[in-house]
Amino acid sequence: MLDGIYIHIPFCMNKCNYCDFLSFKSNEEDRKKYVDYILKEIDLYPEYEYDTVYLGGGTPSLLNCDDVDRIVKRLKIKDGAEVTLEVNPKSVDLEKLRGFKKAGINRVSIGIQTFDDEMLKVLGRMHSSKEGIETYLQAREAGFENISLDLMFSLPNQSLEAVKSDLHRLLELRPEHFSIYSLIWEEGTPFFKKLEDGVYSETENELEAQMFEYIIDKAQEMGYIHYEISNFCLPNREARHNSKYWENKEYLGIGLGASGYVDKKRYKNQVQISKYYDTIDKREIPILESEFVDLDSKEQYKYMLGFRLLKKGVVPSEKYLKKCLELKEKGFLYRVEEHFLLTRKGIMLANDVLDEFI
Ligand SMILES: C[S@@+](CC[C@H](N)C(=O)[O-])C[C@H]1O[C@@H](n2cnc3c(N)ncnc32)[C@H](O)[C@@H]1O
Ligand code: SF4
């Protein structure tokens, strides 16, 4: 039975220059109204109990503690559940973090991105490096024992030395978990425009590979497990909610533009707020589009997602065994009993390997 829920909070103080997530500016009243509708949408799915809850965005930490409390209280949550909230440094202080903890949040994921103040400005972030570190320390003080940090690399004109310095500063903080994303040049963002205009250029493949290899080696040397292509953790601190995505499990997606996977259907919610509200007013599920996942496409998702899990990999069906053996011969996969897993070469060229299964 499905037991994971993602709740999208589409509000940000300001749009970062690289980001195309569904988010916009809001005031206190907009946010309160939105949470009212989130509660109504949750009530449309009375049958589920949750072992993982993920409030993502946008910037869920822009919500006040009462609104977070209202959401958490509305959910049937199992004992020992992981309840995560994404935090942007500029939107919280110690008191607010304590309030989130009291509301039942037991894991925070903080968007640090980089510790370089000049680069933070280039990214369009509202916080300084010092404020990012303060937020991490305040989260500890508020009693969070499970903290994840987000970092980005392969940023415009970024050097290998700058990436090393960012990683060292992150590792000094010793979070239980961190995610590290190489920049994606998303169409429609100010970054993409600058790329088109020739102001920025993409990082050379070779340099980006050096950055990533350094990150993997250093993180492992410092005791972190590289358990997913972009994710590292201390022992037993894997992101339990996100792991459900990679394990191809069903989960509920709530909120504007949220994606979900329920009853063999992958769906996306309405992306226009007025349509989202209107549909919920009619007590209907606010789905914009959905795709039935038949056995063949479920199988494809199994490889596309499963190979991302670097310690588990995939046990192929007979149909794909030959393909896996071929990729093993080419050095992209290795085999442990029935499981096939990405090698270092496979990790570096993961997109090409995963494309083989489409
Ligand atoms: C939805 S954001 C949520 C965190 C929070 N809104 C913040 O930015 O502090 C999740 C993460 O996605 C990453 N991200 C967003 N846009 C990206 C892009 N274009 N390329 C690579 N990573 C990106 C950032 O590291 C960000 O922290
Ligand atoms: S990166 Fe985070 S804070 Fe910045 S616009 Fe995207 S969702 Fe909002």
Side-chain angles (χ1 to χ4, degrees):
M1 182 79 153
L2 168 165
D3 63 1
I5 180 169
Y6 172 82
I7 301 175
H8 190 70
I9 309 295
F11 306 119
C12 287
M13 283 188 209
N14 190 44
K15 197 81 198 169
C16 302
N17 292 328
Y18 53 86
C19 179
D20 82 337
F21 283 86
L22 179 59
S23 70
F24 37 83
K25 289 191 182 167
S26 60
N27 59 33
E28 191 69 33
E29 205 181 312
D30 299 329
R31 296 194 284 271
K32 188 177 174 315
K33 177 173 177 185
Y34 183 77
V35 171
D36 290 343
Y37 278 81
I38 287 285
L39 302 184
K40 291 182 199 186
E41 193 186 353
I42 288 172
D43 290 349
L44 296 173
Y45 299 93
E47 62 271 49
Y48 302 123
E49 265 188 75
Y50 304 103
D51 170 57
T52 63
V53 178
Y54 194 101
L55 279 90
T59 306
S61 55
L62 269 182
L63 296 182
N64 63 40
C65 297
D66 278 352
D67 281 338
V68 171
D69 188 65
R70 287 200 294 147
I71 296 174
V72 176
K73 288 238 162 67
R74 197 63 151 240
L75 301 165
K76 276 183 258 162
I77 298 184
K78 294 183 186 176
D79 284 347
E82 177 193 86
V83 186
T84 305
L85 178 111
E86 281 180 351
V87 169
N88 185 318
K90 205 68 185 180
S91 61
V92 290
D93 55 19
L94 178 58
E95 195 192 342
K96 199 168 180 188
L97 287 162
R98 283 194 170 128
F100 289 153
K101 182 98 200 320
K102 204 158 157 243
I105 302 296
N106 56 26
R107 181 173 183 271
V108 285
S109 170
I110 306 173
I112 295 283
Q113 319 310 354
T114 169
F115 293 97
D116 175 339
D117 282 329
E118 283 312 306
M119 188 61 89
L120 283 166
K121 282 189 201 140
V122 169
L123 296 178
R125 302 289 293 183
M126 308 280 280
H127 56 91
S128 64
S129 158
K130 187 161 165 271
E131 285 170 322
I133 295 169
E134 261 166 28
T135 298
Y136 173 81
L137 297 175
Q138 285 171 349
R140 283 280 183 239
E141 204 178 332
F144 286 99
E145 290 172 356
N146 200 358
I147 302 182
S148 182
L149 301 180
D150 281 353
L151 211 61
M152 292 169 76
F153 73 103
S154 193
L155 297 170
N157 303 315
Q158 195 180 31
S159 66
L160 179 58
E161 288 313 309
V163 172
K164 287 184 183 178
S165 159
D166 268 352
L167 183 69
H168 295 172
R169 295 181 74 178
L170 179 137
L171 293 171
E172 272 169 22
L173 299 175
R174 203 88 189 140
E176 282 71 26
H177 184 280
F178 66 93
S179 309
I180 187 150
Y181 304 110
S182 75
L183 175 68
I184 301 169
W185 299 86
E186 301 283 5
E187 246 180 280
T189 59
F191 264 27
F192 196 79
K193 174 94 179 46
K194 286 196 171 168
L195 181 68
E196 280 180 326
D197 293 349
V199 180
Y200 292 155
S201 53
E202 291 188 48
T203 309
E204 296 284 333
N205 286 346
E206 201 180 315
L207 177 58
E208 185 169 331
Q210 280 175 356
M211 290 171 170
F212 195 29
E213 294 228 50
Y214 182 84
I215 291 163
I216 297 171
D217 291 337
K218 189 73 192 175
Q220 286 177 348
E221 188 190 313
M222 298 301 286
Y224 283 84
I225 301 161
H226 187 199
Y227 75 100
E228 195 273 346
I229 294 180
S230 307
N231 287 280
F232 297 80
C233 69
L234 293 176
N236 298 318
R237 297 303 192 128
E238 288 86 359
R240 280 164 51 191
H241 180 79
N242 290 357
S243 294
K244 289 179 182 167
Y245 304 151
W246 302 313
E247 284 164 5
N248 209 6
K249 291 190 172 151
E250 294 200 347
Y251 64 96
L252 190 61
I254 290 280
L256 192 73
S259 301
Y261 180 24
V262 176
D263 287 340
K264 301 187 179 142
K265 264 187 266 163
R266 288 195 177 265
Y267 68 87
K268 184 179 165 94
N269 267 358
Q270 297 287 352
V271 291
Q272 270 183 36
I273 196 118
S274 57
K275 283 203 178 144
Y276 174 73
Y277 288 159
D278 287 349
T279 321
I280 292 180
D281 279 335
K282 289 188 240 154
R283 293 182 201 285
E284 286 170 17
I285 291 170
I287 290 182
L288 171 67
E289 57 194 26
S290 67
E291 164 211 24
F292 179 74
V293 181
D294 61 18
L295 280 179
D296 266 358
S297 43
K298 185 172 176 192
E299 177 90 5
Q300 283 185 355
Y301 277 111
K302 176 174 115 176
Y303 299 95
M304 298 286 297
L305 299 166
F307 280 126
R308 301 192 61 96
L309 286 171
L310 303 175
K311 302 292 169 197
K312 285 193 181 159
V314 174
V315 179
S317 64
E318 214 159 292
K319 184 173 164 194
Y320 287 94
L321 182 61
K322 194 162 161 259
K323 165 79 55 204
C324 289
L325 288 168
E326 268 169 38
L327 289 164
K328 180 173 168 283
E329 279 310 300
K330 291 182 186 157
F332 294 115
L333 297 178
Y334 68 102
R335 188 175 186 171
V336 180
E337 294 170 358
E338 299 304 298
H339 294 252
F340 283 81
L341 303 105
L342 289 177
T343 57
R344 175 64 70 94
K345 181 173 157 189
I347 295 171
M348 303 311 291
L349 296 167
N351 288 342
D352 298 336
V353 178
L354 300 182
D355 279 353
E356 294 279 329
F357 294 89
I358 295 178

